Amino acid sequence: MLVIQDLHVYYGAIRALDGISIEVKEGEIVTMIGANGAGKSTTMRTLSGLVRPRSGAVMFEGKALHLLPAHEIVALGISQSPEGRRVFANMSVRENLELGGYVHYKKKAQIAEDMDRAFTLFPRLKEREAQLAGTLSGGEQQMLAIGRALMSRPRLLLLDEPSLGLAPFLVQTIFQIIRDINKTGVTILLVEQNANQALRVAHRGYVLETGRVVLADTAANLLSNDEVRQAYLGE
Amino acid sequence: MQALVQTLIYGVETGAIYALIALGYTMVYGVLRLINFAHGDVYMIGAFVGFFACTQWLPFKDLSQHPEAAMLNVVLALVTLLLSMLICALLGITIERFAYRPLRNGFRNADAHFWGFVIALPVTAFAGAMTTTKRQGVFLFAGVVIGFIMRPVMAYLAKRIKPSGSRLNALITAIGVSLMLENGGINIFGADPKFIPDILPKRQFNLFGLVFDSSGLIILAIAAILMALLRYIVLYTRPGKAMRAISHDIDAAKLMGINTDRVISFTFALGASLAGAAGFMVAAFTNIKVVPLFGLQPGLKAFVAAVLGGAGNIPGATLGGLIMGVVESLVASKFPQWRDAVAFILLIVILLVRPAGLLGKNTAEKV
Ligand SMILES: Nc1ncnc2c1ncn2[C@@H]1O[C@H](COP(=O)(O)OP(=O)(O)OP(=O)(O)O)[C@@H](O)[C@H]1O
Ligand SMILES: [Mg+2]
C-alpha cells in the first residue's frame, strides 16, 4: 500500500532522514520506534506532504506522494494526527471535527455519521462538543486530534505519538481504540515513545536511529530482541 | 458638547474607512504572518476605478441638470461599488499569485509563463517606441512570440529559484509591490489630482441638534453591511473556516486537506475588495482628491489600526480602525497640525503597553 524508498530529508543544512525505506501493507499496523530526534516525525511530515524530500520517493498505491501537495494527499485517503495534537484551539470541538471532514464537505450525511462515530469512540468529546478546543485537557485534545483525523475516512492513518501525555489507563484505552480502528479496515502507521505498547499492537516495526532504519522485523521478534529491549524498553 | 459629539460622529465615519482597510491587513497577516504593504495601494486602485466609472465608464447623470435621475445614479453608484470591489479583488489575487506565492512555494512552470511575458513585452514595447515606424503591431507580435520563447528559459531558471521562508524577503517584496503600484499609477493615471463630482443627492439631516451628512451616513451604512458580510463569511462558510484554521496553524490546516494556496488567494480577494470599497467611497463621498499616493497615509494608519486591535484579529481590526478614527478626529479638532502624528503616537504607545494589541492574546499552547 505504502512504500517509502530511500528517503533523504533536510531542514536547511540539517539532515533529518538519511535514506529511509519502509513498507506498509494494507490492513497492517506498523510502528516506528526510535530515540528523540531519530526522524520519526519527519518521516510522518514527509508522508503528509508538509516537507519535501531532497531525494527518494513515497509511493501510495502507485501514486508518487512526494510530488503532491498536502491537501491532495488527504484526498487520496491518508490523514495524520500530528505530534503535539495541533488542534485548532480557538474553535469548538465540533468545528475541529468538521474541519477533519473538510475534503468531504459536500457529503453532509457522511460527516454527521462520522461525527457520531467519533463521539461514540470518545464520549468525552460529546460532552464538550461546544467547548473551545484550546480549553480541553491534554488527553481530551489527543482524543480530538485522533477523532479529527478519522473524519476524512482515511485508508491509511498516521498517528504520531498518540499516547503522549496521557494517564496510564487512558493509554490503554487509546491503544485499544487503535486496534479497533484497524479492525474496521484502516491501515495504521504508528509512531510511539511507548515502544512496549506500540510493539504489542503492531504487526511489524521499524527501529530508527539518526535518520536511518537500523532494524526491521515483526513486532513479536522486536519485542524479544535484546538490543531493542535494552535501548527502547528500558530493560 | 454638541461640537464634541459632532467630532465623534466624524471620527466614527473616518474610523469605518480605516477599519475596512485594516481588515485586509489583519486577515493577510493572519494567514501568512506578512504585512502586505501593497494593501494601501489596492485602496488607491479602488478609488481610481471609482473615478473612471463615475466620470467615463458609466452613464452617470449630472444631478444639477437632471435632478430626476437620482435613482439611476444610486443604482450606478452601487454598480461602481461592486466594480471597485471586483477589480481590487482580482488585483489582490494577482499580487498574491505572482509576488508572494513564488516566495513561499518556489517558482513553478506557471510562473515561468507569466514572467516570460513580463520581461519580453516591455522590452519590445520600448523598442517599438524608439523606432519611428507606424507598424507598432509588429513589435507587439514580436513581444508575444518572444514571451513564448522565454518560457522554457524561465522554466529552466525556475528550478534554481528555491522557496524562501524568510520574513524579511516577504516584507521587501511587499514594499516593492507597493512602489510598483504607486509609480505605475503615476505613470498611467498621471500625478494630477482627480475629482469625482457629486453623484448622489447631498442632504443634511438635523437630529437632536446634530447635523448628519448623507455622505457620511452612506459610508457608515455600507461599511457596516460589508463588515457584517465578512463576519458571516469568516464564521460560517467553508473558506472562512479554512481561513481561521490557517491563521491558527497552517500545517495542521494542510493536514485537514485544506488547499491553503487557494484559501490564501481567497483571503487576499476578500481583504482587497474591502479596501476597494473604501477607496471608492472616500473618493466619491468626501472631498479628498484621488492621486496615485492616495493610499499612502490611510494605508499606514489602517496598518496601525490593525496592530492596535491585535494583528491577525478580525474584530480587533474593526475596533482599532474606529478608535483610530475617533482619536484622530478628536485631536484634529483641537490641534489640527497633529492629525497625522496621532497614528504613530498610538503605534508607539500600543507597542510599549500591549504589543499583542487590544484584542490579541498571547495564548500559551498546551504541550
Ligand atoms: N523544523 C526543523 N528545523 C530544523 N531541524 C529540525 C526541524 N524539525 C526537526 N528537525 C531535526 O530533525 C531531526 C529529526 O527530528 P524529528 O522531529 O523527526 O525526530 P523524532 O524522531 O520525531 O523525535 P521525537 O521522538 O523527539 O519526536 C532532529 O535532529 C531535529 O532536530
Ligand atoms: Mg517526533
Side-chain angles (χ1 to χ4, degrees), chain A residues 11 14-16 34-43 83 160-161 193:
Chain A
Y11 293 104
I14 302 167
R15 184 175 63 202
N36 295 121
K40 306 178 297 288
S41 297
T42 302
T43 308
E83 181 174 29
D160 197 343
E161 309 213 7
Q193 288 296 333

Side-chain angles (χ1 to χ4, degrees), chain B residues 272-288:
Chain B
S273 66
L274 294 182
F280 161 62
M281 292 198 293
V282 168
F285 304 128
T286 72
N287 49 17
I288 300 173

Side-chain angles (χ1 to χ4, degrees), chain B residues 1-12 208 210-212 329-330:
Chain B
M1 183 60 201
Q2 212 157 322
L4 179 68
V5 177
Q6 203 74 60
T7 310
L8 286 179
I9 293 171
Y10 182 68
V12 170
F208 316 116
L210 299 168
V211 186
F212 291 90
S329 99
L330 283 177

Side-chain angles (χ1 to χ4, degrees), chain B residues 52-366:
Chain B
F52 286 115
C54 290
T55 57
Q56 299 171 20
W57 299 341
L58 296 177
F60 279 96
K61 287 262 175 12
D62 182 351
L63 289 183
S64 58
Q65 281 163 38
H66 309 270
E68 75 288 351
M71 204 53 223
L72 170 77
N73 275 14
V74 169
V75 173
L76 290 178
L78 273 178
V79 173
T80 308
L81 177 73
L82 294 179
L83 195 66
S84 288
M85 292 176 71
L86 180 74
I87 292 181
C88 287
L90 292 176
L91 177 64
I93 291 174
T94 312
I95 292 173
E96 191 278 323
R97 179 66 188 79
F98 293 108
Y100 304 139
R101 193 179 298 182
L103 268 183
R104 204 163 68 234
N105 295 348
F107 209 77
R108 305 253 166 94
N109 277 340
D111 301 304
H113 213 140
F114 176 81
W115 288 109
F117 284 110
V118 166
I119 293 172
L121 282 174
V123 170
T124 53
F126 183 72
M130 296 319 287
T131 57
T132 49
T133 171
K134 292 259 156 31
R135 293 154 73 186
Q136 295 290 328
V138 176
F139 286 93
L140 184 69
F141 181 71
V144 174
V145 172
I146 296 174
F148 270 109
I149 297 173
M150 291 288 286
R151 190 193 149 106
V153 179
M154 298 305 291
Y156 173 77
L157 290 177
K159 294 206 187 73
R160 277 145 219 284
I161 301 178
K162 291 270 162 6
S164 156
S166 149
R167 296 263 189 97
L168 189 59
N169 290 359
L171 196 66
I172 292 169
T173 306
I175 294 171
V177 173
S178 167
L179 289 174
M180 213 170 81
L181 287 173
E182 285 166 11
N183 293 294
I186 293 176
N187 208 335
I188 295 168
F189 306 132
D192 54 310
K194 312 263 189 305
F195 176 70
I196 300 185
D198 285 341
I199 52 171
L200 297 184
K202 274 203 158 162
R203 291 222 185 86
Q204 293 197 328
F205 308 94
N206 287 301
L207 263 165
F208 316 116
L210 299 168
V211 186
F212 291 90
D213 200 27
S214 61
S215 350
L217 290 180
I218 291 174
I219 292 182
L220 269 184
I222 293 182
I225 292 172
L226 291 177
M227 286 178 203
L229 262 176
L230 178 75
R231 189 182 150 76
Y232 174 79
I233 293 176
V234 170
L235 285 184
Y236 303 113
T237 67
R238 183 168 122 107
K241 287 180 185 176
M243 236 173 82
R244 281 191 289 146
I246 294 177
S247 298
H248 187 261
D249 184 339
I250 191 165
D251 276 352
K254 286 180 183 173
L255 290 181
M256 300 301 106
I258 294 171
N259 183 343
T260 48
D261 279 344
R262 191 188 291 168
V263 176
I264 287 167
S265 212
F266 175 79
T267 308
F268 272 82
L270 220 52
S273 66
L274 294 182
F280 161 62
M281 292 198 293
V282 168
F285 304 128
T286 72
N287 49 17
I288 300 173
K289 301 272 196 300
V290 185
V291 290
L293 297 184
F294 184 76
L296 204 56
Q297 283 280 357
L300 278 175
K301 288 175 183 171
F303 162 65
V304 175
V307 175
L308 182 64
N313 186 303
I314 291 180
T318 309
L319 180 69
L322 291 177
I323 292 179
M324 184 77 211
V326 168
V327 173
E328 185 180 284
S329 99
L330 283 177
V331 171
S333 70
K334 290 274 177 290
F335 316 98
Q337 70 275 32
W338 284 91
R339 160 186 284 273
D340 290 333
V342 172
F344 304 101
I345 296 171
L346 270 179
L347 180 65
I348 293 169
V349 171
I350 196 75
L351 288 179
L352 286 176
V353 181
R354 214 182 137 80
L358 292 175
L359 301 187
K361 352 179 218 274
N362 296 321
T363 41
E365 306 279 322
K366 289 204 181 74

Side-chain angles (χ1 to χ4, degrees), chain B residues 24-70:
Chain B
Y25 272 114
T26 225
M27 285 192 288
V28 166
Y29 184 83
V31 293
L32 286 183
R33 301 290 181 269
L34 160 76
I35 298 160
N36 176 17
F37 271 119
H39 191 58
D41 304 301
V42 172
Y43 164 83
M44 172 270 288
I45 296 292
F48 268 101
V49 171
F51 169 75
F52 286 115
C54 290
T55 57
Q56 299 171 20
W57 299 341
L58 296 177
F60 279 96
K61 287 262 175 12
D62 182 351
L63 289 183
S64 58
Q65 281 163 38
H66 309 270
E68 75 288 351

